[in-house]
């Protein structure tokens, strides 16, 4: 760093408020963005910061690395020219209900325009949501056997490609609201977050005046199909799949689970509903392996396939619990926030069998019409173990729920059969 750099030479601790730290006021749930105030998460040292954590979720660690490696100017501020949302979304009444949206900043995509004056004056405030357009190539749509969707030239092109609007959302947690959603108190939540991230964010326990936390976790991508206005129009149909990341199946086509086939089924239903004048929505949450991570997930695969009697549906959840201590850490409680953000009040076709997702969404006051299970012929052979175990555990199925006895007969592939 040059001698003339305005970057501070000394490390500024923000763990305790001092005379020159005057966080920009933030009023969660206020009726408009200016009244709410900007989420300011500039690097430590700015007394204006009103958050714990840093922009970009888990990628903030790479930004720190880039600065350490000398490839990023630590004082760089984004040039937001031409980055505004590609389509208008909101505002919706849910944005100003502090109990409805607690895990994202409903104004996060409008930062560049709403706070243009502050940004021009030097305040480093960044978007936490971005809205763009994309054209998808989904091989299954072109190569599947049996009847295919008919191109319409707007949603589905003759080439087989699909036009969508896509939205990336970074987590922005309002800690009092998060605590309420989980039935705990803010103090205990802050302490747990502090202790179980190795003390990564001391402000969680020393700065009770800061209530917004940008956690270093993965975000959400929402894919919107068809006329966006149909999402909030009760007279038109909405198809929706809420999908949790499964890199092994989603990207690489691993056959041990139903993730990609069900995701594609959701995309097909989204296209079809959009073609009929409604809208389709796919919400993709970065919560790999039930938010346990891929290492845990692969350990569980081995434990399942090596156990006495081989991989059976009867012991599917038990093996996960042995390794991880819990069956699932996705905690769907926060998931409906993105639906509230999109103005969703009802889902006509819910492309999911998860009782946890269903309960979380309806528990937030969003009604669900039809629940659409994965068609049987889309379930890969080795994924029968997962599917039967989930049905027995309470997943929605209009068909047969396997008994204990039947679960012990559903077997997966042995480790030496690959
Ligand atoms: Zn999967």
């Amino acid at each position: 760093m040059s001698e003339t750099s305005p970057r501070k030479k000394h490390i500024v601790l923000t763990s305790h408020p001092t005379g020159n730290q005057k966080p920009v006021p933030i009023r969660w749930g206020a009726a408009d963005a200016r009244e709410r105030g900007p989420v300011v998460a500039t690097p430590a040292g700015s007394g204006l910061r009103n958050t714990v954590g840093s922009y970009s979720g888990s990628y903030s660690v790479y930004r720190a690395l880039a600065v350490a490696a000398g490839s990023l100017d630590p004082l760089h501020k984004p040039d937001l020219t031409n980055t505004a949302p590609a389509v208008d979304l909101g505002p919706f009444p849910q944005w100003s209900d502090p109990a409805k949206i607690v895990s994202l900043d409903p104004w996060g995509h409008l930062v560049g325009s709403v706070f243009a004056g502050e940004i021009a004056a030097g305040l480093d405030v960044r978007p936490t949501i971005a809205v763009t357009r994309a054209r998808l190539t989904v091989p299954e749509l072109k190569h599947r056997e049996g009847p295919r969707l008919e191109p319409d030239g707007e949603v589905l092109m003759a080439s087989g490609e699909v036009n969508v609007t896509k939205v990336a959302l970074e987590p922005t947690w309002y800690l009092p609201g998060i605590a309420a959603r989980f039935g705990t108190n803010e103090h205990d939540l802050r302490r747990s977050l502090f202790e179980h991230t190795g003390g990564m964010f001391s402000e969680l326990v020393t700065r009770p005046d800061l209530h917004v936390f940008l956690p270093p976790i993965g975000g959400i991508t929402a894919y919107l199909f068809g006329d966006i206005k149909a999402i909030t129009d009760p007279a038109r149909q909405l198809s929706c799949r809420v999908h949790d990341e499964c890199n092994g199946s989603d990207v690489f086509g691993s056959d041990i689970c139903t993730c990609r086939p069900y995701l594609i089924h959701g995309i097909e239903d989204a296209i079809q509903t959009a073609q009929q004048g409604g809208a389709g929505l796919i919400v993709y949450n970065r919560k790999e392996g039930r938010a346990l991570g891929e290492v845990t997930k692969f350990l569980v695969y081995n434990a399942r396939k090596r156990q006495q009697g081989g991989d059976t549906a009867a012991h599917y959840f038990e093996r996960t619990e042995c390794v991880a201590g819990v069956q699932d850490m996705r905690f769907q409680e926060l998931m409906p926030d993105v639906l509230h953000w999109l103005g969703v009040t009802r889902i006509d076709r819910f492309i999911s069998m998860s009782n946890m997702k269903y309960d979380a969404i309806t528990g937030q006051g969003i009604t669900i019409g039809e629940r659409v299970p994965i068609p049987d012929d889309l379930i890969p052979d080795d994924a029968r173990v997962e599917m039967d175990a989930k049905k027995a555990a309470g997943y929605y199925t209009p068909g047969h729920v396997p008994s204990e006895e039947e679960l012990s007969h559903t077997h997966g592939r042995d480790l030496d059969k690959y």
Side-chain angles (χ1 to χ4, degrees), residues 34 80 84-85 107 109-119 127:
R34 293 206 60 81
L80 297 177
W107 310 98
H109 55 314
L110 302 175
V111 161
S113 55
V114 172
F115 299 111
E118 284 82 353
I119 291 170

Side-chain angles (χ1 to χ4, degrees), residues 204-228:
L204 284 167
V205 289
T206 61
R207 294 289 304 273
D209 59 317
L210 304 180
H211 294 287
V212 175
F213 176 43
L214 302 187
I217 58 172
I220 302 165
T221 317
Y223 285 83
L224 319 178
F225 300 73
D227 181 7
I228 283 166

Side-chain angles (χ1 to χ4, degrees), residues 246 249 257 259 297:
C246 173
S249 171
C257 55
C259 299
K297 185 178 186 175

